[in-house]
């Protein structure tokens, strides 16, 4: 095999056949990468690629004709000045200051006011925050064990009938404006017995109130001391359900308020203080199972990722309203799930344009299921699977069994479709149980070839390769199904 | 070099990059689906973040790709928060209108080009972005970095995009 660097050298220009294959039926991932790295450095070959595929030029012309007008750009100087000012306040400190700071932190911990002193401090902070409360408030991100959503900071009398709102109303906490110091104060004032703690560190003050005489057993507000504005709140109910609310500053303000040390291409959400009864793999499995029950696990663009603070982020695209409602209901039973529903990017496409040949449909379905099985394999490897309870292992087995069975059905359907056009060799025996990765790779190759056969004019080379790859995929899929065996009984 | 000299150098570098790349970054955000106002805002924010990171001492070898990547992530976050607010927000409607054919941009008379325009709109977002960033002059490696995918996947997206466009133009 060639060293990847060889392709990038000027002398190793890919020949026309390779470039054509790259554009038409596709080539192996490693070779694609090598060619692209070469094209990045070789304008002559990039030019050859353009000549081979006139659609690149046509796309460029189309793009020029439709370029959006550029805005009248503002100067960044003043915003950069603002960044400079913030930096200047950070004075370099000698190393021994760390020890002093640690000592001070311990002292602060011991001296954090509780009891009457804390109540007085809380009153003072709330009064100051109330005076600083902006009349033009932003939005709030509300997260709970059932999911998350964004709402206006103030509902202005349009009290929602959602479960969270009703819960707050029952606890006599004003859901219209939950981060308002007045709302917090009114709730506290009703309580005869309460324990108040004030924690001040890192430029923030957190007022915590615990009680046993309300369904809302603990509530805290966090105040930024430089602006004396409330930036977050956390609320815990008697049944251990919790709600976290964070004020969302608008984007321009966010640029300046954000601590620059934490700036990264992808801002992580603040770490939660959630306490989950189940482990992350257990909860993730339950998310997958919930998706699977709604038939959203394969084929539908749904992403399930471990989020910050042991949360699970579920992003689902292009759901119908019914599906969205069912999904919310299904996930409500799983702790620490953040559900996001981005807008569909092809909402303007008429449904008829999505209709494609049934062979391509079958192939895409096979690929989607192969992806899903591989995803399950990577998220629940043997060790993690072994640590799951027997019912959870059975759930996992059922998902795998169902999807491989459906995949085999799709493979048969595709095989029948292809057999009408070309002759395929019988199944070849295989020596070992295939990995899901091998299954996925083969499904990817087959999908590419099927698309090539049905979507391009010159399909002969694709047929030849399809005759080799398709029986291999069929064989592996059957063997993988066999390898799953019986459901775990203990 | 002392700190103030460093700062002046960083300011100039970011200002130069901003002049050269802001339109391209802005256009790529329009392709992602942002409204003009949000695209403008996110573009500026990406450059300011670059300045902040350079001030913090971060070494960024490929600043152009870095800015595109940060802007892209900001765009994705904006779209996600818009989606949470409404299924088809005003912003999306405005964006569909802004991406659509209008009097100013009505330069396409050829039927083939009109078909191509429709076909491009039907591409997946990733496929469209790969084409767009390539047309913007980014290297394939940079596109991979912006979209946080492998370079070979960029190739695959481009291949699929071309295949769809070819099929539509037949």
């Amino acid at each position: 095999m060639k060293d990847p660097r060889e392709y990038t050298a000027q002398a190793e220009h890919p020949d026309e056949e390779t470039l054509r294959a790259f554009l038409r039926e596709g080539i192996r991932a490693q070779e694609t990468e090598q060619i692209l790295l070469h094209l990045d450095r070789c304008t002559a070959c990039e030019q050859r690629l353009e000549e081979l595929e006139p659609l690149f030029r046509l796309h460029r012309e189309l793009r020029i004709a439709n370029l959006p007008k550029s805005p009248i750009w503002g100067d960044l100087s003043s915003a950069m000045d603002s960044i400079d000012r913030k930096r200047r306040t950070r004075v370099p400190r000698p190393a021994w200051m760390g020890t002093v700071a640690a000592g001070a932190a311990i002292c602060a911990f011991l001296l954090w006011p509780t009891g009457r002193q804390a109540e007085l401090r809380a009153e003072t902070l709330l009064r100051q925050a109330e005076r600083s409360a902006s009349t033009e408030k932003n939005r709030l991100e509300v997260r709970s064990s059932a999911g998350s959503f964004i709402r206006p900071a103030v509902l202005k009398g349009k009290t929602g009938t959602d479960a969270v709102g009703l819960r707050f109303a029952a606890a006599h906490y004003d859901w219209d404006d939950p981060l308002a110091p007045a709302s917090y104060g009114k709730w506290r004032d009703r309580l005869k017995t309460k324990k108040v703690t004030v924690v001040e560190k890192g430029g923030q003050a957190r007022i915590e109130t615990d009680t046993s005489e309300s369904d809302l057993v603990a509530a805290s507000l966090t105040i930024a001391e430089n602006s004396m504005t409330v930036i977050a709140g956390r609320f815990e109910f008697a049944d251990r359900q919790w709600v976290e609310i964070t004020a969302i500053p608008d984007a321009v303000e966010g640029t300046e308020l954000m601590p620059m040390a934490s700036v990264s291409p992808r801002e992580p959400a603040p770490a939660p203080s959630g306490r989950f009864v189940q482990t992350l793999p257990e909860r993730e499995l339950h998310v997958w199972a919930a998706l699977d029950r709604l038939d959203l696990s394969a084929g539908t663009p749904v992403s399930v990722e471990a989020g910050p603070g042991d949360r699970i982020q579920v992003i689902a695209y292009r759901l119908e309203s019914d599906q969205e409602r069912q999904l919310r209901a299904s996930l409500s039973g799983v702790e620490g799930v953040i559900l996001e529903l981005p807008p569909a990017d092809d909402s303007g496409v008429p449904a008829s344009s999505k209709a494609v040949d049934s062979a391509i449909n079958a192939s895409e379905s096979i690929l989607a299921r192969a992806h899903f099985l591989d995803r399950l394999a990577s998220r629940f490897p043997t060790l993690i699977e072994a640590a799951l309870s027997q019912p959870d292992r059975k759930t996992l087995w059922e998902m795998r069994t169902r999807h491989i069975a459906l995949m085999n059905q799709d493979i048969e359907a595709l095989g029948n479709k292809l057999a009408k056009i070309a002759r395929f060799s019988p199944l070849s025996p295989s020596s070992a149980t295939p990995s899901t990765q091998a299954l996925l790779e083969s499904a990817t190759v087959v999908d590419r070839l099927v698309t090539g056969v049905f979507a391009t004019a010159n399909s002969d080379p694709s047929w030849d390769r399809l005759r080799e790859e398709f029986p291999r995929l069929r064989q592996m899929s059957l063997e993988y199904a066999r390898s799953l065996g019986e459901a775990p009984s203990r | 070099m002392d700190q103030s000299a460093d700062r002046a150098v960083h300011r100039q570098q970011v200002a130069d990059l901003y002049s050269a790349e802001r339109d391209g970054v802005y256009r790529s955000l329009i392709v992602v689906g942002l409204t003009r106002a949000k695209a403008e805002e996110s573009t500026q924010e990406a450059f300011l973040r670059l300045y902040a990171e350079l001030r913090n001492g971060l070494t960024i070898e490929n600043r152009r790709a870095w800015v595109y990547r940060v802007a892209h992530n900001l765009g994705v976050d904006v779209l996600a928060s818009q989606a949470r607010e409404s299924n088809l927000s005003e912003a999306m409607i405005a964006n569909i209108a802004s991406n659509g054919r209008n009097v100013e941009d009505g330069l396409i008379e050829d039927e083939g080009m009109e078909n191509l325009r429709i076909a491009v709109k039907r591409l997946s977002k990733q496929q469209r972005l790969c084409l767009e960033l390539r047309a913007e002059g980014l290297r394939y490696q940079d596109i991979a970095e912006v979209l946080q995918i492998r370079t070979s996947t960029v190739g695959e997206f481009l291949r699929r995009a071309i295949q769809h466009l070819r099929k539509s133009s037949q």
Side-chain angles (χ1 to χ4, degrees), chain A residues 24 40 46 63 139 263, chain B residues 53 85 134 136 140 159:
Chain A
R24 303 285 158 127
D40 274 344
E46 181 67 14
R63 186 173 166 272
R139 293 166 301 152
V263 169
Chain B
E53 290 291 31
E85 284 180 345
R134 182 184 180 277
E136 200 59 62
Y140 296 108
R159 192 187 67 77

Side-chain angles (χ1 to χ4, degrees), chain A residues 114-356:
Chain A
T114 53
R116 182 69 193 142
Q117 194 187 354
E119 281 194 33
L120 285 173
R121 180 65 184 143
E123 293 291 341
T124 308
L125 287 167
L126 286 172
R127 260 203 314 277
Q128 287 175 342
E130 206 168 340
R131 275 202 297 273
S132 309
S134 163
T135 50
E136 281 200 25
K137 290 198 177 181
N138 301 310
R139 293 166 301 152
L140 304 179
E141 182 183 8
V142 182
R143 292 176 299 185
S144 71
S145 43
S148 69
F149 58 91
I150 304 282
R151 53 158 274 182
V154 184
L155 291 177
K156 293 177 184 163
K158 293 183 225 162
T159 307
T161 52
D162 56 290
V164 183
L166 292 173
R167 198 100 207 243
F168 274 77
H172 302 288
Y173 194 105
D174 186 1
W175 180 240
D176 275 9
D177 193 358
L179 290 194
S183 304
Y184 188 77
K186 275 182 199 157
W187 169 75
R188 288 176 70 249
D189 292 345
R190 291 176 67 96
L191 305 172
K192 291 191 179 116
T193 53
K194 56 183 177 272
K195 182 184 163 212
V196 179
T197 310
V198 177
V199 179
E200 293 184 83
K201 64 172 181 175
Q204 295 182 349
R206 191 170 72 245
I207 304 167
E208 300 170 346
T209 306
D210 293 270
T211 182
S212 56
E213 62 181 74
S214 165
D215 184 39
L216 181 58
V217 293
S220 67
L221 284 190
T222 303
I223 297 169
E225 289 183 315
N226 58 350
S227 59
M228 290 312 291
T229 51
V230 179
I231 53 173
R234 181 177 165 85
F235 306 87
E236 284 180 41
F237 292 89
D239 59 358
R240 300 190 62 192
Q241 295 289 310
W242 53 268
V243 175
E244 287 176 351
I245 304 177
T246 313
I248 304 174
D250 54 70
V252 176
E253 281 176 11
T255 307
E256 297 191 4
L257 292 174
M258 199 173 298
M260 291 306 171
S262 71
V263 169
S264 66
R266 192 93 203 198
E267 291 300 332
S273 51
R275 293 162 236 154
F276 304 122
V277 176
Q278 294 179 310
T279 63
L280 181 63
E282 282 170 337
R283 288 183 292 118
E284 187 178 337
L285 178 69
H286 295 168
V287 166
W288 281 114
L291 292 169
D292 201 43
R293 281 195 295 276
L294 299 175
D295 211 16
L296 296 175
S297 51
T300 313
V302 175
S303 134
V304 179
E305 301 288 343
D310 262 8
R311 287 207 162 87
I312 299 167
Q313 187 175 39
V314 180
I315 307 177
Y317 302 83
R318 299 203 295 262
L319 293 189
E320 303 290 334
S321 55
D322 267 6
Q323 287 178 309
E324 186 184 321
R325 190 172 38 76
Q326 288 172 356
L327 181 58
R328 281 190 193 283
S330 295
L331 295 180
S332 64
V334 189
E335 292 177 298
V337 174
I338 305 167
L339 175 62
E340 288 190 18
L341 302 162
D345 66 318
D346 59 354
S347 50
V349 181
S352 60
S353 72
K354 290 175 185 168
V356 287

